[in-house]
Amino acid sequence: MSRFERSISALLCLIAAIFLGIMMVLPPFTRIGEMDFVISQMLRCKTIVACLHAYAYDHDGKYPESLNELVASGLIQKKDLLIDLRDGKPPVTWLYRLGLSLSSPADEWVVASPPIANTVVSDRERKRRERAGGLQYPPKLPWRVAGRNDTVIERMPEEKFHKTLTRRPMQFSPTELPHDAGNH
């Protein structure tokens, strides 16, 4: 091998080593946006449940007939009732369980997000991670954020949410917002 060929080989090995190093460090940084999305939805859910409690303290322990009453009473803004799934579609609203109050059992689900299926990660990014052997976060399966009457917030797979509903049937209804919902 000539000196030139050895130099090229060494340079290619160096480039490959740098590339592998970058690929090992990059996945944790790409998950930051996903973690931010999950945490923001959990905080939003916690805020909604806290606002329901505040409303109930002023209304004989009863929760409102609609989440819109929280907006009307000034406890929350309309935009906080919307979830942008980052999938190019219009934002969706939280599901709200009617008929509960402060005196309802603590483990009753009060609000829940619609199913969220890996909308934060593009298909291309997901496939790249699968080839690289990286963990899926959020998981491939749909998941929800749900808040209980005792203000416990949980991120759970859709399957677990439905098992909970099977044990104790609950009816959730979507929040109907006025047409200017994104203006506040």
Side-chain angles (χ1 to χ4, degrees):
M1 257 174 120
S2 71
R3 185 175 174 178
F4 176 75
E5 290 172 333
R6 281 183 277 168
S7 296
I8 294 293
S9 293
L11 182 61
L12 288 175
C13 286
L14 179 64
I15 290 171
I18 290 171
F19 179 74
L20 287 173
I22 289 172
M23 293 306 290
M24 290 173 66
V25 173
L26 193 58
F29 289 113
T30 58
R31 288 190 199 115
I32 291 172
E34 299 161 23
M35 296 283 290
D36 177 53
F37 180 75
V38 172
I39 292 169
S40 69
Q41 297 315 310
M42 291 180 80
L43 288 173
R44 205 171 263 192
C45 186
K46 186 87 161 174
T47 301
I48 293 170
V49 174
C51 289
L52 287 168
H53 278 241
Y55 180 94
Y57 286 126
D58 292 338
H59 294 87
D60 300 321
K62 295 180 182 157
Y63 290 152
E65 291 297 316
S66 162
L67 292 180
N68 286 326
E69 291 181 41
L70 298 178
V71 175
S73 63
L75 291 169
I76 198 167
Q77 295 181 359
K78 290 179 207 173
K79 67 180 176 89
D80 293 326
L81 298 178
L82 296 172
I83 303 172
D84 183 2
L85 296 178
R86 302 177 184 177
D87 60 357
K89 297 177 185 168
V92 295
T93 60
W94 289 86
L95 303 174
Y96 174 56
R97 187 161 167 230
L98 301 173
L100 295 179
S101 67
L102 284 175
S103 60
S104 298
D107 63 345
E108 294 282 350
W109 296 109
V110 181
V111 292
S113 69
I116 300 172
N118 244 357
T119 54
V120 181
V121 181
S122 68
D123 286 336
R124 181 177 173 196
E125 175 66 13
R126 189 176 321 119
K127 287 176 185 172
R128 185 194 68 75
R129 287 185 193 175
E130 286 173 357
R131 284 192 306 268
L135 297 175
Q136 292 294 316
Y137 192 87
K140 283 184 183 179
L141 299 174
W143 53 276
R144 288 181 189 251
V145 173
R148 297 189 334 198
N149 200 28
D150 60 1
T151 71
V152 170
I153 308 302
E154 188 175 339
R155 176 182 169 268
M156 68 185 82
E158 181 71 0
E159 185 178 303
K160 179 180 177 185
F161 184 76
H162 281 286
K163 281 182 184 175
T164 305
L165 295 181
T166 305
R167 282 193 309 251
R168 192 173 2 170
M170 301 177 217
Q171 183 66 39
F172 283 89
S173 64
T175 304
E176 296 293 328
L177 295 175
H179 293 293
D180 65 341
N183 295 346
H184 278 275

